[in-house]
């Protein structure tokens, strides 16, 4: 039995009537900030972020950041390896194999979307526990995407991006 919940949630970044309209560059700069300050974007989930190291993957040239995040609910610190794929994706990998991707994508008419993809690993949990976690994680994924877009817009309004 798989003990992994795979979830993805997508939202439009600039729905009709949203102001200010966010550019791809502003969104990317926001995701780079999120690597170093996750609590700015998901304060309900992450309490603090501490950068341990910055490097470049020698085979790809992608920037890699190792950070520690303190999760608010569990008060558990987790070290994540974060890889940025300019200008569309940031991948977060945890020691237990859980992975999260933040993806900026473009629609057929140039509209921008934010998608978060979660691969949450829960070794040793029962089928019932996994199902309960799935429901909680679905809600959290929507909150994370919509919350990030809201914060991006606020940071642009405050001229911080």
């Amino acid at each position: 039995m798989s003990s992994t919940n795979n979830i993805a949630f997508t939202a439009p970044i600039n729905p009709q009537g949203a102001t200010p309209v966010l550019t791809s560059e502003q969104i990317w700069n926001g995701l780079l900030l999120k690597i170093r300050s996750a609590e700015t974007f998901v304060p309900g989930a992450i309490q603090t972020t501490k950068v341990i190291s910055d490097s470049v993957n020698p085979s790809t040239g992608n920037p890699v950041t190792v950070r520690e995040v303190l999760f608010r609910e569990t008060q558990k610190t987790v070290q994540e390896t974060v890889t940025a794929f300019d200008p569309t994706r940031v991948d977060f990998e945890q020691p237990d194999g859980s992975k999260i991707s933040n993806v900026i994508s473009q629609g057929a008419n140039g509209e921008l979307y934010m998608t978060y993809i979660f691969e949450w690993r829960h070794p040793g949990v029962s089928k019932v526990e996994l199902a309960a976690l799935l429901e909680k994680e679905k809600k959290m994924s929507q909150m994370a995407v919509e919350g990030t877009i809201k914060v991006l817009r606020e940071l642009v309004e405050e001229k911080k991006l």
Side-chain angles (χ1 to χ4, degrees):
M1 177 185 91
S2 173
S3 59
T4 302
N5 284 333
N6 294 293
I7 303 161
F9 186 84
T10 300
I13 294 172
N14 293 310
Q16 189 170 350
T19 59
V21 172
L22 303 178
T23 67
S24 295
E25 183 180 11
Q26 290 167 328
I27 299 160
W28 180 249
N29 287 335
L31 287 185
L32 293 178
L33 175 61
K34 186 173 181 260
I35 292 170
R36 308 184 90 67
S37 181
E39 64 277 7
T40 299
F41 294 87
V42 284
I46 296 177
Q47 190 169 326
T48 59
T49 307
K50 178 183 174 187
V51 173
I52 305 300
S53 67
D54 288 305
S55 62
V56 174
N57 180 320
S59 62
T60 65
N62 296 86
V64 177
T65 301
V66 177
R67 70 182 194 173
E68 287 181 349
V69 291
L70 174 61
F71 285 92
R72 189 170 296 283
E73 184 178 332
T74 61
Q75 288 297 295
K76 181 179 169 189
T77 300
V78 175
Q79 190 171 90
E80 295 181 323
T81 300
V82 186
T83 305
F85 298 85
D86 186 1
T88 61
R89 188 175 96 229
V90 177
D91 288 347
F92 305 81
E93 188 163 352
Q94 297 181 354
D96 70 357
S98 293
K99 295 177 188 160
I100 304 159
S101 294
N102 295 184
V103 180
I104 304 164
S105 60
Q106 189 170 336
N109 297 312
E111 64 277 20
L112 296 170
Y113 295 93
M114 177 80 63
T115 300
Y116 283 10
I117 302 163
F118 297 90
E119 179 183 335
W120 288 120
R121 299 194 179 220
H122 303 288
V125 301
S126 71
K127 213 176 212 181
V128 171
E129 291 168 317
L130 190 63
L133 286 166
L134 177 64
E135 289 312 306
K136 180 179 178 181
E137 290 164 350
K138 280 182 181 178
K139 290 176 187 165
M140 188 221 37
S141 68
Q142 180 177 354
M143 176 199 72
V145 172
E146 292 174 346
T148 295
I149 294 168
K150 180 177 183 259
V151 170
L152 287 169
R153 192 161 273 108
E154 290 167 357
L155 290 170
V156 167
E157 286 173 345
E158 296 166 4
K159 305 209 182 311
K160 294 181 179 174
L161 282 181

